[in-house]
Amino acid sequence: MKRILFLVACTLFWGIIIAGPTFAAENPAAGVQDKPDTADWSGFYAGLNAGYSWYRADSKTYSTVTGNLLGEKLSKTSGDVYGGRIGYDHVFAQNWLLGVATEVSYGDIKLDKTISNAAGTNIHKVTGEIDWNGSIFARAGYTTGRWLIYGIGGWTWSKSETKRTQLVGTMGNATAGTVEKEDFTMDGWTLGGGFEVLLTKHLSLYSEYRYTDYREDKITFSLTQQTSDSDATTSSVQFGINYKF
């Protein structure tokens, strides 16, 4: 269902880009002031966006008692992301653009994994959720007519929750039924790029890809007597609409 909604959003995005100029040409009542060619890319803007994000984490688990490596695992998941951003752009030398923006998003990205030893005598379940995340970034681009091609780079953070449930057997002091939960915040850097197209003097649509690399984070479960070092990355695609003031 999530992928269907994502494809619908893509279809609507391209449909508006293709049909928008034709609609404007056939409806001159919109006024000369709304023609894209008369708009200035410089100034403040605010907008909303929606997209899809793919999450990957490599983690190593150690014993808090002996310090020995207990295991390594790769976790993958994906989900929808919705958010909004505000920013400011300035055009110089006619076509070059520099700007800064901040964004906050809410994601429906969840992880559910059950892990067992070979004999099936020790089984536990790990669930995780990434909900709120945000970023502050700069963008630089080149404008030509009503189009803008740009790249972005900056700092990002993400609020996450991980829960461990011992299902079978005992691990450390965690017997079957023991649940441990830890909330934590990751931060790192983000890079990406995209394009934006003016529909009117004030409204624009954009499509953007972003890669994010979070700094290694440590999660400790005291009853289980384990700690995990996790290195997470995300790749995301989003579509948005901006209103230029």
Side-chain angles (χ1 to χ4, degrees):
M1 184 64 182
K2 293 178 181 179
R3 296 183 184 274
I4 293 176
L5 292 175
F6 181 66
L7 290 175
V8 170
C10 295
T11 302
L12 289 174
F13 177 84
W14 285 107
I16 292 174
I17 287 180
I18 295 172
T22 302
F23 175 81
E26 294 176 353
N27 294 270
V32 176
Q33 70 275 13
D34 280 340
K35 289 185 178 179
D37 289 342
T38 65
D40 186 355
W41 284 97
S42 293
F44 289 96
Y45 65 89
L48 300 173
N49 56 64
Y52 203 78
S53 184
W54 293 265
Y55 173 88
R56 173 192 174 108
D58 293 290
S59 59
K60 295 180 179 180
T61 302
Y62 300 87
S63 167
T64 58
V65 178
T66 64
N68 294 335
L69 176 65
L70 301 178
E72 301 180 39
K73 66 176 181 287
L74 170 64
S75 303
K76 295 181 179 180
T77 187
S78 60
D80 302 326
V81 180
Y82 311 94
R85 68 173 57 170
I86 57 173
Y88 178 82
D89 289 326
H90 177 71
V91 175
F92 64 98
Q94 295 185 334
N95 298 102
W96 295 98
L97 177 144
L98 284 178
V100 63
T102 183
E103 179 176 280
V104 175
S105 302
Y106 182 83
D108 183 24
I109 304 176
K110 298 179 180 179
L111 175 68
D112 191 326
K113 196 167 188 176
T114 300
I115 303 170
S116 172
N117 62 0
T121 57
N122 197 300
I123 306 173
H124 70 275
K125 181 179 182 181
V126 177
T127 58
E129 182 175 357
I130 301 175
D131 41 32
W132 291 103
N133 62 82
S135 59
I136 299 175
F137 57 88
R139 76 169 178 170
Y142 184 82
T143 67
T144 173
R146 64 190 187 99
W147 293 88
L148 165 66
I149 301 174
Y150 65 89
I152 65 172
W155 173 82
T156 187
W157 59 268
S158 180
K159 180 180 174 295
S160 305
E161 175 189 282
T162 297
K163 182 168 66 176
R164 185 190 188 283
T165 304
Q166 186 70 29
L167 300 177
V168 177
T170 299
M171 180 63 70
N173 295 319
T175 57
T178 299
V179 177
E180 295 182 272
K181 183 178 72 171
E182 183 166 336
D183 297 315
F184 59 99
T185 300
M186 303 182 294
D187 73 305
W189 54 266
T190 184
L191 290 175
F195 68 87
E196 190 169 350
V197 56
L198 291 168
L199 299 181
T200 71
K201 183 177 181 180
H202 297 288
L203 289 178
S204 65
L205 291 179
Y206 69 90
S207 176
E208 187 176 288
Y209 167 79
R210 189 182 298 185
Y211 177 82
T212 299
D213 191 331
Y214 294 101
R215 291 193 297 178
E216 188 174 81
D217 197 78
K218 185 182 294 290
I219 305 172
T220 300
F221 296 114
S222 57
L223 292 177
T224 309
Q225 297 179 340
Q226 292 181 355
T227 184
S228 294
D229 294 333
S230 181
D231 186 9
T233 63
T234 61
S235 292
S236 61
V237 177
Q238 63 179 225
F239 301 94
I241 182 169
N242 286 332
Y243 180 85
K244 298 182 181 298
F245 298 99

